[in-house]
Amino acid sequence: MRQNLHLIYILLVATLLTGCGAEQAMKKGDKFYALGEYHDAAEQYKKAYAQTKSKERTLRGQRAMKMAECYRRINYTQKAIAAYNNAIRYKQEDSLTHFYLAQQLMKNGSYKEAEKQFQTFIDSIGNYEYKDPQNYEQLAKNGLRSARQAPEWKKEGSDYTVKRENFFNSRRADYSPMLAGEENNQLFFTSTRNQAKGDELSGITGTKNGDIFFSQKDDKGKWQRPEAIDSELNTDFDEGVCSFTPDGRVMYLTQCKTDPDYPRYATIMTSNRSDASWSKAQEVKLTRDTLSAFAHPAVSPDGQWLYFTSNMPGGLGGYDIWRVALTNNGLGGVENLGAPINTPGDEMFPTFRPNGDLYFSSNGHEGLGGLDIYIAKAVGSWQLAENQELTANSHQLEHPGYPLNSQGDDFGMTFEGMLNKGYFSSNRGDGKGWDHIYSFFNPEIVQTVKGWVYEQDGYELPQGQVYMVGNDGTNLKLSVKGDGSFEQQIKPGVDYVFLGTCKGFLNHQEQLRVEPVKESQEYVLQFPLANITVPVLIENIFYDFDKATLRPESAEALDQLVALLNENPNVTIELSAHTDYRGSAEYNKRLSQRRAESVVNYLKDHGIAPDRMTPVGYGKERPKKVRRKLTEKHPFLKENDVLTEEHIKTLDEEQQEICNQLNRRTEFRVLRTTYGLFPKK
């Protein structure tokens, strides 16, 4: 009898301890859930669920529901489906259970089952009270159409080819690739691999917090092993999803800080590049809102707008895509892109193809499941003038189909130049919901123009601008990259005029007629800009020996000078000729004066007003001063060397002849830039 009582006592204590353990786990889970640490919360809810007896159906259903909500948020799709089904089995579903279950079934590719759950949800909408019933009904009807059409969409396919790029991938999450560098020879991406900073695992994902990694191509064009950015940019917090300004000198990125007592919100940060190093990130204050998330920054191709994702008030529901102007005086006001881009669902991960098309991911439009990639085709241009508004008519939405999209989450596009190829990220086929990097290619015919803006007889001008006007109504302002280059898609059958400009330099114009082609083609233009503060060498000017007569082969260079003066009609110049030190000073000065006058006469005969030109022969009075660019061609010279007779005679015979040739030159320099702007009085 005593033994039986002892056994009953043990069982009673065990039952009480089990109940206490489950309640304790639920309390911990609720605390993690409130902080947004869904992975840790799911572990506690799972523990509590396992300790709940099967006969306690209500309690098991409630705990299954909490597990499902966590698994849904961390992309554990199959576990979420099982947990939602348990909640329904125990009759503890709420107003959104069938809706969320249907979305998870879509991500699992279970389209028939998803169709049933969407229909069940739609039929039950009148039985519950919702904050925005029309929004949920719209999303559910989109989901229902998607479930019915997705199998056919997958069967139809598209011209895209997709390949998983395991060289960049790890055993954790790798996502949001972004190409950078002068030749797209750098790939930045976010990774939670073991090499990320910090020792603790994220309570949200169960992995390390993300860091920004990059890979670079070697001289043979082969990608090198990815490494974390070795600077203060990466921290123990979560960093990722980066974008760059057109010149490549400023990075925008997302950061999520950890707080043990409060939910954490994503913020947009910025970092500056000095040489090859990135500075410590600083927060970008988009609004005064401290309770909303700001993430996924994307700089427009013209560098004038920062696009981003946020759930701040004023949107259409869930996460929306917004934008803010980037000006010399700071940030402008934030604008919501509105419909049809944004929906009551989530629109995220905006990015741009260099031709101005906006790519983004959404679970609110019809698709194959999870986040699908959509394209907002620019009808005119996203690079709108200041007095224009962004409207629904300024773009057309396009779903690029399968296999670029899948039943999983597909997002984070980046493009290799103007071609429709590059990289993106997807968690398709990954049981843990981790993202991986994929390459894509679409063999469409693309015609592009690539140009370089640089100082005539000098280096690239990354601060330059190129204006592009076409007879089809095109009117764009193109930014240039750090190497002075720009790239833009062009259309067949259109006549274009390009004007290269930069403060402190004369303009340069190029014209282009685009003909139809059967394969992709790139046109190359050069924009050498003349500095208005230093003499500019006119190359390839030739005179008869010991005379002032221009040789016929000088015509090409002189015709270019005629065009330059016509493109800059308010400029007056001094046209100067120079000799080497050999011969008498008086003779050299007379010869150089006659040569300068010969050039001026040529320009006058070709329509340039005489009062815009002043011919001056300096003889050997002004020996050439060496600029840095010239030292690359002639390493024996040093920057700021002056090629005087004394200096030249210290060099060997071959170097002396080079210096004498450099001194024998024809130059022009800008005298003023206001010719013809004011009355002669």
Side-chain angles (χ1 to χ4, degrees):
M1 183 70 174
R2 183 177 296 173
Q3 288 179 339
N4 289 340
L5 289 173
H6 184 64
L7 181 60
I8 292 171
Y9 175 76
I10 291 174
L11 291 173
L12 181 61
V13 170
T15 301
L16 290 172
L17 288 175
T18 300
C20 290
E23 290 300 324
Q24 198 69 20
M26 288 300 297
K27 288 181 180 179
K28 288 183 179 179
D30 289 342
K31 182 179 179 181
F32 288 137
Y33 189 92
L35 294 174
E37 297 178 349
Y38 302 115
H39 179 273
D40 288 353
E43 290 295 305
Q44 295 300 321
Y45 292 147
K46 179 181 177 182
K47 181 178 178 182
Y49 181 84
Q51 294 178 356
T52 306
K53 294 181 178 181
S54 57
K55 65 180 181 180
E56 298 182 81
R57 298 179 61 83
T58 299
L59 211 51
R60 281 177 71 85
Q62 292 171 350
R63 291 171 180 176
M65 176 63 74
K66 293 202 169 187
M67 288 167 55
E69 288 296 291
C70 292
Y71 290 141
R72 173 175 67 85
R73 294 169 186 270
I74 59 176
N75 286 327
Y76 282 22
T77 301
Q78 293 181 347
K79 289 186 176 182
I81 291 172
Y84 278 126
N85 279 325
N86 280 334
I88 293 171
R89 179 160 61 96
Y90 290 122
K91 302 187 184 303
Q92 292 303 307
E93 68 265 38
D94 62 19
S95 60
L96 294 174
T97 300
H98 293 281
F99 175 75
Y100 287 140
L101 175 56
Q103 288 187 325
Q104 297 301 300
L105 289 166
M106 289 289 293
K107 292 183 70 172
N108 199 49
S110 304
Y111 297 126
K112 285 291 185 184
E113 292 85 346
E115 181 181 347
K116 294 176 183 177
Q117 294 299 327
F118 276 127
Q119 190 63 62
T120 299
F121 173 77
I122 292 171
D123 293 341
S124 66
I125 283 180
N127 301 330
Y128 297 96
E129 290 188 5
Y130 299 91
K131 183 179 179 181
D132 297 300
Q134 295 90 349
N135 287 354
Y136 284 112
E137 185 174 12
Q138 177 184 334
L139 290 173
K141 288 182 176 179
N142 283 350
L144 183 61
R145 285 191 292 269
S146 298
R148 290 170 177 170
Q149 297 176 82
E152 188 61 30
W153 287 340
K154 292 185 74 170
K155 184 178 178 182
E156 288 177 2
S158 69
D159 291 333
Y160 283 90
T161 57
V162 167
K163 178 186 175 185
R164 178 163 161 166
E165 297 293 340
N166 287 328
F167 179 77
F168 302 117
N169 293 317
S170 66
R171 296 182 178 180
R172 297 294 185 267
D174 305 281
Y175 59 96
S176 288
M178 181 57 62
L179 285 162
E182 296 173 359
E183 298 295 331
N184 292 310
N185 59 353
Q186 295 177 340
L187 185 72
F188 292 76
F189 61 93
T190 310
S191 181
T192 62
R193 62 187 63 192
N194 292 334
Q195 290 76 21
K197 281 189 176 182
D199 298 320
E200 295 184 4
L201 300 182
S202 167
I204 297 178
T205 63
T207 65
K208 278 193 169 185
N209 285 328
D211 275 351
I212 297 177
F213 285 70
F214 78 101
S215 175
Q216 182 148 352
K217 286 183 178 179
D218 61 17
D219 295 338
K220 297 180 180 178
K222 183 179 179 181
W223 289 110
Q224 301 299 290
R225 183 174 62 87
E227 297 179 353
I229 292 180
D230 186 18
S231 71
E232 293 184 290
L233 178 69
N234 286 322
T235 69
D236 290 345
F237 299 130
D238 216 344
E239 284 91 21
V241 193
C242 60
S243 178
F244 301 93
T245 52
D247 62 8
R249 296 186 178 276
V250 180
M251 174 195 296
Y252 290 89
L253 65 149
T254 306
Q255 186 183 80
C256 293
K257 293 185 178 180
T258 303
D259 191 310
D261 299 315
Y262 296 97
R264 65 185 199 169
Y265 299 99
T267 56
I268 291 176
M269 313 289 285
T270 187
S271 172
N272 296 312
R273 178 170 62 86
S274 176
D275 294 326
S277 180
W278 290 97
S279 68
K280 183 178 180 180
Q282 303 293 324
E283 184 175 352
V284 179
K285 292 285 188 181
L286 296 169
T287 71
R288 296 181 180 179
D289 186 344
T290 60
L291 298 177
S292 300
F294 300 88
H296 310 164
V299 182
S300 62
D302 61 1
Q304 296 185 35
W305 296 93
L306 179 67
Y307 288 69
F308 61 94
T309 297
S310 179
N311 60 350
M312 74 173 98
L316 273 66
Y319 286 89
D320 276 8
I321 296 176
W322 303 68
R323 72 173 188 173
V324 63
L326 300 174
T327 72
N328 294 331
N329 298 321
L331 300 177
V334 297
E335 304 174 13
N336 188 286
L337 296 198
I341 288 176
N342 290 321
T343 71
D346 295 325
E347 281 68 48
M348 312 167 83
F349 298 99
T351 189
F352 282 91
R353 187 174 172 182
N355 67 0
D357 290 347
L358 172 67
Y359 285 67
F360 66 98
S361 294
S362 171
N363 62 12
H365 294 282
E366 295 177 22
L368 296 174
L371 291 172
D372 269 21
I373 294 168
Y374 298 84
I375 310 168
K377 289 278 188 181
V379 173
S381 172
W382 285 90
Q383 303 164 38
L384 300 177
E386 292 182 4
N387 61 345
Q388 289 181 289
E389 294 182 359
L390 184 67
T391 67
N393 294 325
S394 62
H395 50 263
Q396 298 171 335
L397 287 187
E398 179 181 309
H399 185 273
Y402 179 85
L404 187 65
N405 284 313
S406 68
Q407 70 265 25
D409 291 326
D410 307 293
F411 61 97
M413 303 280 286
T414 186
F415 292 86
E416 190 175 324
M418 287 290 171
L419 296 180
N420 197 351
K421 64 180 295 189
Y423 300 91
F424 73 109
S425 40
S426 176
N427 60 16
R428 63 186 68 186
D430 191 288
K432 294 185 177 180
W434 287 341
D435 307 304
H436 304 288
I437 294 174
Y438 289 75
S439 63
F440 69 90
F441 175 62
N442 187 321
E444 63 185 30
I445 297 175
V446 179
Q447 289 181 269
T448 62
V449 59
K450 186 169 187 177
W452 278 268
V453 182
Y454 56 94
E455 181 182 1
Q456 193 167 323
D457 196 31
Y459 290 93
E460 61 274 359
L461 294 171
Q463 66 271 36
Q465 293 277 353
V466 175
Y467 294 87
M468 171 180 166
V469 178
N471 61 0
D472 65 337
T474 299
N475 189 350
L476 300 178
K477 183 169 72 171
L478 310 177
S479 298
V480 300
K481 299 179 183 178
D483 64 344
S485 71
F486 69 90
E487 217 173 351
Q488 180 65 32
Q489 187 170 343
I490 49 182
K491 301 175 185 176
V494 178
D495 294 325
Y496 292 101
V497 176
F498 297 84
L499 184 68
T501 68
C502 187
K503 187 176 181 180
F505 294 82
L506 299 184
N507 298 333
H508 179 82
Q509 182 176 297
E510 290 285 344
Q511 297 183 12
L512 181 65
R513 167 71 181 179
V514 184
E515 302 293 346
V517 294
K518 294 183 178 179
E519 58 184 24
S520 295
Q521 182 173 334
E522 181 180 79
Y523 299 84
V524 177
L525 300 176
Q526 303 286 343
F527 293 84
L529 305 188
N531 196 319
I532 66 174
T533 62
V534 298
V536 178
L537 176 67
I538 309 173
E539 295 191 88
N540 300 320
I541 300 295
F542 306 99
Y543 306 92
D544 286 341
F545 177 71
D546 209 25
K547 295 181 179 179
T549 308
L550 285 166
R551 295 176 63 85
E553 53 264 40
S554 304
E556 182 178 352
L558 291 173
D559 289 343
Q560 291 176 359
L561 182 55
V562 170
L564 178 66
L565 292 172
N566 284 328
E567 292 162 4
N568 297 271
N570 305 119
V571 165
T572 63
I573 64 170
E574 175 191 272
L575 198 295
S576 61
H578 306 260
T579 67
D580 59 36
Y581 66 83
R582 292 173 293 194
S584 71
E586 184 179 348
Y587 176 80
N588 281 337
K589 192 159 187 177
R590 286 200 308 269
L591 176 62
S592 61
Q593 179 66 33
R594 295 202 314 273
R595 287 180 169 179
E597 289 171 355
S598 293
V599 174
V600 166
N601 288 334
Y602 183 96
L603 300 177
K604 183 174 62 174
D605 291 343
H606 286 76
I608 304 301
D611 59 347
R612 294 181 60 194
M613 301 173 290
T614 303
V616 180
Y618 286 104
K620 59 181 180 180
E621 292 176 0
R622 295 192 178 185
K624 187 173 181 65
K625 185 176 182 180
V626 176
R627 300 185 66 193
R628 182 160 59 98
K629 183 71 173 178
L630 193 58
T631 64
E632 296 178 1
K633 185 177 181 180
H634 303 293
F636 70 91
L637 297 175
K638 294 183 176 60
E639 186 177 4
N640 295 321
D641 278 352
V642 179
L643 303 184
T644 62
E645 179 178 356
E646 293 75 18
H647 179 80
I648 292 174
K649 287 183 174 179
T650 65
L651 305 174
D652 63 39
E653 187 175 343
E654 183 180 353
Q655 292 172 346
Q656 286 187 34
E657 181 53 33
I658 291 173
C659 291
N660 284 327
Q661 289 176 0
L662 292 173
N663 272 333
R664 297 192 297 268
R665 68 198 190 275
T666 304
E667 297 176 332
F668 75 86
R669 67 184 180 94
V670 175
L671 297 178
R672 59 191 181 98
T673 58
T674 58
Y675 177 84
L677 292 179
F678 307 103
K680 289 187 177 181
K681 287 184 180 181

